[in-house]
Amino acid sequence: MDFVVEDWGRVAYGEAWARQKALHARVVRGERPPTLVLTEHPRTVTLGRAASGENLLFAESWYRRQGFELFWVERGGDVTYHGPGQLVAYPIFPVARRVRDFLRLLEAVVVDVAESYGLEAYATPGYAGVWVGEEKLAAFGVAVKQGVALHGLALNVNTNLEDFQVIVPCGIRDKGVTSLQRLLGRELDMDEVKTRLTAAFRARFADVSAPTLGLSGPG
């Protein structure tokens, strides 16, 4: 699959959500190619289709008073956090009905990035996301409308992990959250991580054909 990359920098979640939906509509109509959006958000809590609100630790009004934006959105999954230092990727890619295959490819992309830094990461069917040990490094939540995906993944790079303490991340109470910064013991250059993530996307999606996500080669 050939795709273009847009780097939006740091954008308020609500603005990015609106821009993402407009971009999604253009990809659906064939007016532009599949697009990988890279961005960061200010402190934001989002709740996906599986959320009931029980994994918010406070009333919604409390989050807003503390400087968090809060949104109920159409992606899969429960509650998660976005904030500065977290690299968010929105692959607006045609997936047709191959949603599970698409999610496995997204997981593989993050595992590849982690391994490029010498870290042993893994995905597990029991808990969505990519993990290092018992701690989540990246969260996933996608929606598919008219055969094209939106939303995507959030990779903790230099994220302030204390902000995760105001929710039960993804509704998982017995596991922690980590970041590349914590695992490597140093702050990372975000542009470098973006370069590695983009390269991993290109490698993993090289043999995937739009719009059906059918493999173009054998196997």
Side-chain angles (χ1 to χ4, degrees), residues 1-3 24 27-28 33-36 49 90-106 141-152 201 205 208-215:
M1 182 188 299
D2 191 22
F3 60 87
H24 174 270
V27 173
V28 167
T35 303
L36 174 64
R49 294 191 306 273
Y90 296 131
I92 315 299
F93 291 179
V95 302
R97 298 180 182 274
R98 303 284 296 278
V99 180
R100 288 188 179 181
D101 293 344
F102 179 62
L103 288 170
R104 300 294 83 79
L105 285 169
L106 295 186
V142 302
V144 177
K145 294 186 175 183
Q146 295 177 274
V148 176
L150 67 164
H151 297 283
F201 263 100
F205 282 85
V208 175
S209 59
T212 62
L213 271 189
L215 294 177

Side-chain angles (χ1 to χ4, degrees), residues 11-15 42-46 63-64 67-71:
V11 182
Y13 188 90
E15 178 185 344
R43 298 165 83 206
T44 306
V45 171
T46 68
Y63 293 92
R64 297 187 174 100
F68 294 87
E69 291 193 289
L70 190 146
F71 295 90

Side-chain angles (χ1 to χ4, degrees), residues 53 55-63 66 70 165-167:
N55 290 313
L56 294 174
L57 299 182
F58 305 95
E60 291 187 26
S61 59
W62 180 91
Y63 293 92
Q66 299 302 314
L70 190 146
Q165 295 177 9
V166 301
I167 61 173

Side-chain angles (χ1 to χ4, degrees), residues 3-188:
F3 60 87
V4 298
V5 180
E6 291 191 6
D7 188 342
W8 290 355
R10 187 173 298 174
V11 182
Y13 188 90
E15 178 185 344
W17 190 15
R19 290 173 64 181
Q20 186 184 169
K21 287 187 283 189
L23 177 58
H24 174 270
R26 294 185 65 199
V27 173
V28 167
R29 293 194 298 264
E31 296 175 359
R32 64 167 298 136
T35 303
L36 174 64
V37 173
L38 303 178
T39 188
E40 292 180 67
H41 299 305
R43 298 165 83 206
T44 306
V45 171
T46 68
L47 299 101
R49 294 191 306 273
S52 65
E54 65 181 348
N55 290 313
L56 294 174
L57 299 182
F58 305 95
E60 291 187 26
S61 59
W62 180 91
Y63 293 92
R64 297 187 174 100
R65 290 197 303 270
Q66 299 302 314
F68 294 87
E69 291 193 289
L70 190 146
F71 295 90
W72 293 79
V73 297
E74 68 269 59
R75 64 161 173 80
D78 202 302
V79 61
T80 195
Y81 164 79
H82 299 302
Q86 183 189 73
L87 177 54
V88 179
Y90 296 131
I92 315 299
F93 291 179
V95 302
R97 298 180 182 274
R98 303 284 296 278
V99 180
R100 288 188 179 181
D101 293 344
F102 179 62
L103 288 170
R104 300 294 83 79
L105 285 169
L106 295 186
E107 292 166 348
V109 163
V110 175
V111 169
D112 290 346
V113 172
E115 289 181 347
S116 78
Y117 286 103
L119 300 171
E120 186 176 346
Y122 66 95
T124 173
Y127 296 100
V130 168
W131 302 78
V132 176
E134 294 295 303
E135 296 180 315
K136 180 176 279 192
L137 178 63
F140 297 80
V142 302
V144 177
K145 294 186 175 183
Q146 295 177 274
V148 176
L150 67 164
H151 297 283
L153 66 91
L155 171 62
N156 295 322
V157 181
N158 302 313
T159 319
N160 179 1
L161 299 177
E162 292 183 1
D163 277 343
F164 282 96
Q165 295 177 9
V166 301
I167 61 173
V168 180
C170 303
I172 302 172
R173 297 180 179 273
D174 60 347
K175 295 184 183 292
V177 180
T178 193
S179 67
L180 292 176
Q181 182 182 33
R182 172 181 282 181
L183 293 166
L184 298 173
R186 61 180 175 85
E187 185 173 351
L188 281 79

